[in-house]
């Protein structure tokens, strides 16, 4: 990147003197850096937001800010620390929530919260339980957000919209990969009706729409050193949709005994103990306001989001890898296989998943 990150950092209202700007993490969509400052001043997270995916970015930043301020108000009312239990967006020097550089790229900054841990895997039921409480609490905190959110990602977890994209990509077969993945395509097609039947319940309002996070993977939660959840991060995808997206996406990542792109499929299964622990924590925070229909489809949502992820990885592979960052030519196909293995493991254990929901509701 020919970009001078120190110059970008200077465009924001930072406290203290910048010591260093360094890459951080491996997001698939945005480019992320940490701004380290000298002495006791806070450190910051700097991101180049992906404008091909989130559009328009200024509206996305408004969404994030509204959610953050709303949560902070509640944290203060409950006697908590609004700088640690909520994200803090750091505006640019002109007061905007983003900086637009000479190449028309959008940058945004938030404060880094010290002494926290983001786990890459839910290794213990205790961690999964805490994570479930964290996501449940997030949903209850934002449940009464008055400010309308702009839909900057139309159709994000909407399978009807995904099929529209899918059918177009399959018809086009832009890089000639379709023939090679006939088997994988059949995995998607054989479950089309089942998935659409579920989504119809969201479309007709049988399952309500609420403020949701939509990217609740395990590393998007910050834990304190005692193992309690401090706050939920990565708010780019806050939208009005079904809470089932959040439960499902969390289960897609928490319960996976392997990695999202595991090349050894024997590693990949759904860990029912982790499912139970997360569900217990989640329902403790949400059962007072979730409807019976939402509860009925809780376990299904894990299959739904995992299936959607199989579709999205496979679709991107067939499309020539335009959406997700990849490390090899077959990376999206590897991800497809690993997520499909997880899906089949969920299908095999579906009765036990439903039983766990019943137990903790
Ligand atoms: C993307 O960039 P990251 O890792 O936060 C994606 C999620 C996928 C995830 C797969 C906006 O999230 O939906 O589940 O990759 N985010 C977007 O790990 O598409
Ligand atoms: Mg994300």
């Amino acid at each position: 990147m020919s970009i001078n990150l120190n110059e970008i950092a200077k465009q924001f209202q930072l406290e203290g003197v910048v010591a260093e700007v360094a890459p951080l993490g491996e997001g698939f969509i945005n480019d992320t850096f940490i701004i380290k400052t000298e002495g006791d001043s806070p450190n910051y997270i700097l991101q180049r937001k992906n404008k091909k995916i989130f559009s328009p970015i200024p509206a996305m930043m408004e969404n994030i800010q509204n959610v953050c301020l709303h949560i902070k108000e509640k944290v203060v009312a409950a006697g908590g620390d609004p700088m640690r239990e909520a994200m803090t967006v750091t505006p640019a020097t002109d007061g905007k929530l983003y900086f637009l550089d000479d190449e028309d790229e959008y940058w945004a900054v938030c404060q880094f919260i010290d002494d926290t841990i983001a786990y890459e895997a839910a290794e213990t039921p205790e961690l999964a339980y805490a994570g479930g409480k964290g996501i449940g609490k997030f949903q209850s905190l934002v449940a009464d957000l008055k400010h309308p959110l702009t839909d900057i990602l139309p159709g994000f977890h909407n399978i009807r919209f995904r099929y529209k994209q899918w059918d177009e990509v399959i018809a086009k077969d832009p890089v000639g990969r379709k023939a090679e993945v006939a088997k994988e395509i059949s995995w998607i097609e054989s479950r089309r009706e089942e998935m659409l039947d579920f989504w119809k319940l969201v479309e007709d309002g049988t399952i309500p729409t609420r403020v949701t996070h939509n990217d609740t993977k395990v590393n998007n939660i910050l834990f304190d050193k005692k193992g309690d959840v401090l706050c939920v991060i990565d708010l780019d995808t806050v939208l009005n949709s079904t809470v089932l997206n959040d439960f499902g996406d969390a289960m897609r990542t928490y319960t996976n005994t392997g990695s999202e792109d595991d090349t050894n499929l024997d590693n990949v299964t759904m860990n029912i103990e982790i499912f139970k622990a997360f569900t217990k924590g989640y329902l403790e925070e949400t059962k007072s306001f979730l409807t019976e229909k939402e509860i009925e489809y809780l376990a299904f949502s894990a299959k739904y989001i995992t299936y959607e992820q199989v579709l999205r990885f496979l679709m991107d592979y067939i499309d020539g890898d335009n959406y997700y960052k990849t490390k090899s030519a077959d990376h999206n196909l590897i991800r497809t296989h690993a997520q499909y293995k997880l899906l089949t493991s969920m299908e095999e254990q579906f009765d036990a998943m439903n039983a766990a929901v019943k137990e903790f509701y």
Side-chain angles (χ1 to χ4, degrees):
M1 205 184 298
S2 66
I3 287 171
N4 184 337
L5 292 168
N6 283 291
E7 276 307 310
I8 303 281
K10 276 192 199 148
Q11 308 303 320
F12 290 88
Q13 298 180 27
L14 308 180
E15 283 173 45
V17 178
V18 173
E20 162 184 41
V21 187
L24 184 77
E26 296 202 41
F28 293 4
I29 310 283
N30 296 317
D31 299 308
T32 305
F33 307 88
I34 181 160
I35 304 175
K36 293 192 179 151
T37 59
E38 287 174 7
D40 288 340
S41 304
N43 295 327
Y44 297 87
I45 303 286
L46 168 69
Q47 281 192 314
R48 178 163 64 175
K49 301 287 190 182
N50 189 325
K51 65 177 179 190
K52 281 201 316 212
I53 291 174
F54 306 113
S55 175
I57 302 281
M60 174 176 91
M61 293 309 300
E62 281 292 325
N63 285 349
I64 295 174
Q65 179 70 327
N66 284 319
V67 168
C68 289
L69 296 180
H70 183 81
I71 294 177
K72 278 179 191 293
E73 234 175 71
K74 297 242 169 133
V75 168
V76 170
D81 181 348
M83 296 309 286
R84 292 185 66 74
E85 293 171 45
M87 305 254 310
T88 305
V89 178
T90 304
T93 51
D94 62 3
K96 292 202 174 98
L97 299 175
Y98 58 86
F99 168 68
L100 184 61
D101 74 13
D102 294 342
E103 287 165 29
D104 265 351
E105 295 290 345
Y106 286 93
W107 298 81
V109 168
C110 64
Q111 274 202 29
F112 182 83
I113 307 175
D114 273 327
D115 292 322
T116 56
I117 312 167
Y119 294 93
E120 287 306 318
E123 270 144 29
T124 63
E126 290 72 31
L127 192 89
Y129 171 77
K133 283 190 87 76
I135 295 301
K137 192 167 168 210
F138 175 85
Q139 289 180 348
S140 83
L141 283 170
V142 294
D144 60 343
L145 180 77
K146 295 283 177 307
H147 204 286
L149 295 174
T150 306
D151 189 2
I152 50 104
L153 276 171
F156 191 52
H157 286 309
N158 171 342
I159 206 68
R160 192 185 297 283
F161 171 78
R162 294 298 176 194
Y163 287 135
K164 194 170 164 280
Q165 292 182 314
W166 166 263
D167 290 338
E168 279 166 23
V169 169
I170 297 282
K172 229 174 162 188
D173 190 19
V175 288
R177 285 175 169 175
K178 190 173 107 179
E180 161 211 331
V181 291
K183 176 185 72 188
E184 289 82 354
I185 290 175
S186 78
W187 297 342
I188 299 301
E189 295 300 343
S190 63
R191 293 165 177 83
R192 199 191 265 249
E193 287 313 310
E194 182 191 3
M195 298 301 159
L196 269 175
D197 282 347
F198 162 70
W199 194 254
K200 280 179 199 155
L201 301 175
V202 178
E203 289 171 330
D204 72 14
T206 306
I207 292 174
T209 297
R210 307 174 189 274
V211 177
T212 51
H213 182 283
N214 297 292
D215 191 11
T216 45
K217 53 184 163 194
V218 57
N219 62 7
N220 274 341
I221 279 196
L222 295 184
F223 289 84
D224 66 16
K225 299 243 157 102
K226 291 187 310 208
D228 292 326
V229 168
L230 263 182
C231 82
V232 176
I233 57 170
D234 191 7
L235 301 177
D236 292 354
T237 51
V238 284
L239 297 169
N240 287 99
S241 191
T242 160
V243 290
L244 297 173
N245 297 343
D246 290 356
F247 183 86
D249 200 34
M251 291 303 81
R252 179 181 75 79
T253 56
Y254 280 73
T255 67
N256 189 351
T257 55
S259 57
E260 195 179 60
D261 59 354
D262 224 305
T263 47
N264 181 355
L265 295 181
D266 291 338
N267 291 340
V268 179
T269 53
M270 201 244 5
N271 182 332
I272 188 75
E273 294 312 318
I274 297 288
F275 181 89
K276 284 184 190 168
F278 185 97
T279 301
K280 182 169 188 289
Y282 176 76
L283 285 175
E284 281 176 12
E285 298 291 331
T286 57
K287 66 179 160 197
S288 63
F289 67 87
L290 293 188
T291 66
E292 287 193 2
K293 271 290 168 210
E294 287 171 309
I295 299 294
E296 185 185 331
Y297 281 89
L298 215 49
F300 183 82
S301 73
K303 293 199 294 184
Y304 177 80
I305 294 289
T306 306
Y307 168 87
E308 185 207 22
Q309 196 65 65
V310 177
L311 182 156
R312 291 173 67 194
F313 284 145
L314 181 58
M315 179 166 72
D316 198 33
Y317 180 74
I318 298 169
D319 196 35
D321 308 318
N322 292 311
Y323 190 93
Y324 291 111
K325 291 183 191 170
T326 51
K327 290 183 181 156
S328 62
D330 59 352
H331 201 173
N332 273 319
L333 192 56
I334 291 170
R335 291 165 170 154
T336 301
H337 287 159
Q339 291 284 288
Y340 181 68
K341 174 68 199 301
L342 180 64
L343 174 63
T344 57
S345 178
M346 287 175 174
E347 289 173 341
E348 283 160 16
Q349 300 182 78
F350 192 48
D351 289 345
M353 291 159 73
N354 274 316
V357 172
K358 273 219 175 81
E359 182 184 343
F360 299 117
Y361 179 50

